[in-house]
Amino acid sequence: MRELIAPQIDYFIFVAVCVSALTAITFWLRRTQRNSRTLIIAWIALPVLLVPGWFLVEAAGKRERDRLRKRIEGLAPTYAEELRSLGHQRITFETESDDPLYLKMIDKQIRWLKINPAVADIYTFREHPDGNALIVDSETDYDHDGVYEGKRESRTEIGEIWDEQDAAITRAYSGVAAFDDEIYSDRWGTWVSAYVPMKDQDGNIDAVLGVDFPAEDWVKAISRARLLAIGFLSVVVTIGLASASIIAVLRANLVERERAARDLLIAKNAAEAATRSKSEFLANMSHEIRTPMNGIIGMTDLLAGTEMNDQQQEYSRIVKQSANSLLGLLNDILDFSKIEAGKLELESLRFDLRDSIERTVQTLTFRAAEKDLEILCRIDPEVPDSLIGDPGRLSQVIVNLAGNAIKFTEQGEIVINIEQQSRSDEKVTLLCSVRDTGIGIDADKLDSIFTPFTQEDASTTRRFGGTGLGLAICSQLVRLMNGRIWAESEKGVGTTFHFTSVFSLASEAVPQLAKIESLADMPVLVVDDNKTNRFILDEILKTWKMKPVLADSGAEGLQEMKDAVAKGQPYKLALIDGMMPEMDGFQLADILRKQPELC
């Protein structure tokens, strides 16, 4: 037997595990799909990987065998030369076991074994007619108790015959160092060994030195090397099988999604066709009814301009009144059908009010910037943050109102303000307002603007567009939130929309930002040409217990910084508006960058 290893049993087990895993994956995936090209590729790729893997594992085992062999072979000549220099040739079969030279050699071998614990035994023997006669044997303390006792540790007598026949020993007697990796057993254990010839002073072969290495350690070292290579292959195979499984599942999901998408598209087309049919029907009905109704109203007006007696005038008035009522009813039906299509329902979610409003305002900033308008938002510090309600509908109302404000404002600002109107242990009523500096609305029109499809007048519709549904939807949403909506306006000055809404207080607060006590009493400079913006920032900073100083221009802010430096109290923080007249925020920042002593 060349090795104490079942022939490549470790690799056969690895192959069996790989095939079993791929088989299990195949059966599992076949339950969800009939065929998979990915699995076919995996079955082809697995043997392609396992064949070179065989050679990789064999090469790893061979490299470890060669390393161990060189290690043992390298020790044997060194030991042989040391023993020769001590006078090994003077030891004969007749040398007594208490001979000082013999004991010195034994002690030398034992010290070598202590230095190199990987070596199990060192010994020498000479040719004898009956076999190989042992000369010097280390007879190690195998159980490391410091006492040589027991059969395994008993002193081997000089001249004890070892009749084992070994080709490697024969080669050593002929003068060639040899290594025998064929595992053999004797009364002391199981070994692999290296043999080297020992020569006397005349250069003649006097004896052979043997070095034993435990076969168990030999086998374990080679097995570890093979298992390391198998482990590498396991990682590669695992990644491959996982990738194949994922790709197969994704492919199956993609097919399923494509099928669902096709079904959804068919349903969508059918629904759209039905919707188009309904819309076309309503449009046709509207046109068909409106046309004769307008004709009736028009003819009634013409008739009223002719000469008629009182009775005829009364009949004409009744006809016109009835026609207008019928036309109004028709419009109401059409309006109701459009609003009803939304089927508005409120959700009940816990949300952070300030985060929700901030995200809402962010959606409006681009539209405001396109018209060079400033859009500002203030939330009173007393307003609780953690609420329960429908944040999406609240945002929808604010977006509609602020969007209208942007549409009807050519210059100036839009200010969103949220305050607490009332509060109980369980609920809070918010008072929200959206103020603009736009064209304004006549006072006598304020009551009608929340009617569906209604704007101030026809000229407004022609100039700014829109269907007039936005405010009607806002009104309906506000009612659903147990609130009311109204407007205040002055023609040419601007409009302010107010609405209230009721929310429940959350029992558990929404996680807040990190504590900011470290900012307390910190002076901060606010540079902004907009008075409202300065007011909002001043309120926020004071809420954080900071000490804001306000400046309404870049020049004033720069002077304030210089004064602060002169006092030995430069500002650590400055909030600067980017868009200001004369000296904007970027110019001010550039000056500060060039004059770092101001910071």
Side-chain angles (χ1 to χ4, degrees), residues 19 35 62 105 141 157 250 316 324 472 504 516 537 599:
V19 174
N35 192 12
K62 184 178 183 301
M105 291 185 180
D141 180 9
E157 297 181 1
L250 291 177
S316 175
N324 285 328
S504 298
I516 54 176
L537 290 173
C599 302

Side-chain angles (χ1 to χ4, degrees), residues 472-491:
I473 294 174
C474 288
S475 177
Q476 185 176 6
L477 289 175
V478 169
R479 283 197 298 271
L480 288 174
M481 292 188 287
N482 299 315
R484 67 186 186 93
I485 187 169
W486 70 97
E488 299 173 351
S489 183
E490 183 177 350
K491 194 69 173 179

Side-chain angles (χ1 to χ4, degrees), residues 345-360:
E345 294 180 358
L346 293 184
E347 294 182 324
S348 182
L349 305 173
R350 192 181 71 172
F351 67 99
D352 186 321
L353 175 65
R354 285 168 174 80
D355 285 347
S356 178
I357 298 302
E358 179 184 359
R359 290 192 294 269
T360 300

Side-chain angles (χ1 to χ4, degrees), residues 1 60 63 75 83 118 126 131 134 138 145 194 234 309 348 365 373 409 413 431 450 496 498 518 532 591 598:
M1 179 177 71
R63 282 195 300 271
L75 295 174
L83 292 180
R126 290 192 177 97
L134 290 170
S138 61
D145 62 355
S234 299
N309 57 39
S348 182
T365 53
L373 299 175
T409 302
E413 62 185 16
L431 173 60
F450 298 105
T496 302
H498 305 276
S518 59
T532 305
I591 293 173
L598 297 178

